[in-house]
Amino acid sequence: MKKSIMLLLCALLGFTAFAATTFKSGDTVYVSAKSTSLKSGTGFMSKTVGTVNYGDALTVISVSKKKVEVKSQRNSSLKGWIPIGSITKRKIVSSGAKSAVSSQELALAGKGFTEEAENAYKASSPNLDFKAVDAIEKIRIDEETVQAFIREGHLTGGEE
């Protein structure tokens, strides 16, 4: 009997978590990543049509498995597809005051990863070297280079 109750409780909690993260047309959502590209389609190799930043308000147009088609509330001509993990229904409020934290730290904190969590992880694993990770994070590749790579490699697909 206890096992059945626990199974039912877990299923209910799982459904509640799923329902809490679903989006529908007309919903207002907010960008929860530091900065992310809006794409022309749901595929990984879709062309970038614009960029949105942490806290930007968006309106949901449609939803696929892992991406949401949105338009900017500030610039209605800016619309495209964004990963579900880069948006939240929770309104992100900025105090407008100068802050000692970067927008990247703020975005990570919004996802539950704080500087304290990073420092605790580093302390528990003192032999880890993060220089390679830091170097990779600094690499930036422009959209034209990515599109040229896709064309020259005859790459297709990536659509949901």
Side-chain angles (χ1 to χ4, degrees):
M1 180 68 173
K2 285 183 182 180
K3 198 174 196 179
S4 297
I5 293 172
M6 285 300 284
L7 185 58
L8 181 62
L9 183 60
C10 286
L12 183 60
L13 287 173
F15 176 75
T16 303
F18 174 75
T21 59
T22 58
F23 303 103
K24 64 183 184 311
S25 181
D27 283 351
T28 294
V29 295
Y30 302 90
V31 179
S32 60
K34 178 181 177 186
S35 176
T36 190
S37 298
L38 291 181
K39 299 287 191 166
S40 61
T42 59
F44 175 74
M45 293 180 270
S46 297
K47 187 172 181 166
T48 298
V49 295
T51 303
V52 290
N53 299 302
Y54 184 76
D56 285 355
L58 310 169
T59 301
V60 174
I61 299 170
S62 64
V63 181
S64 71
K65 290 180 184 176
K66 297 178 184 176
K67 304 261 177 119
V68 177
E69 185 180 21
V70 295
K71 72 176 177 180
S72 170
Q73 290 186 358
R74 194 170 14 131
N75 175 3
S76 62
S77 66
L78 178 59
K79 70 178 189 174
W81 293 88
I82 189 170
I84 283 178
S86 296
I87 56 175
T88 182
K89 285 185 178 180
R90 292 182 300 178
K91 186 171 185 176
I92 296 171
V93 180
S94 173
S95 67
K98 292 272 185 188
S99 175
V101 297
S102 71
S103 58
Q104 182 177 15
E105 290 169 324
L106 194 58
L108 289 172
K111 293 181 178 284
F113 192 80
T114 63
E115 186 176 356
E116 291 81 20
E118 182 179 354
N119 290 338
Y121 183 75
K122 285 180 180 178
S124 70
S125 307
N127 295 328
L128 291 179
D129 183 1
F130 290 92
K131 289 178 192 160
V133 173
D134 294 338
I136 290 170
E137 286 180 334
K138 291 178 183 174
I139 296 172
R140 298 289 179 255
I141 301 172
D142 63 87
E143 180 69 19
E144 288 180 30
T145 303
V146 172
Q147 291 301 319
F149 178 82
I150 291 168
R151 281 191 308 278
E152 291 170 17
H154 305 289
L155 302 175
T156 60
E159 301 294 323
E160 289 184 0

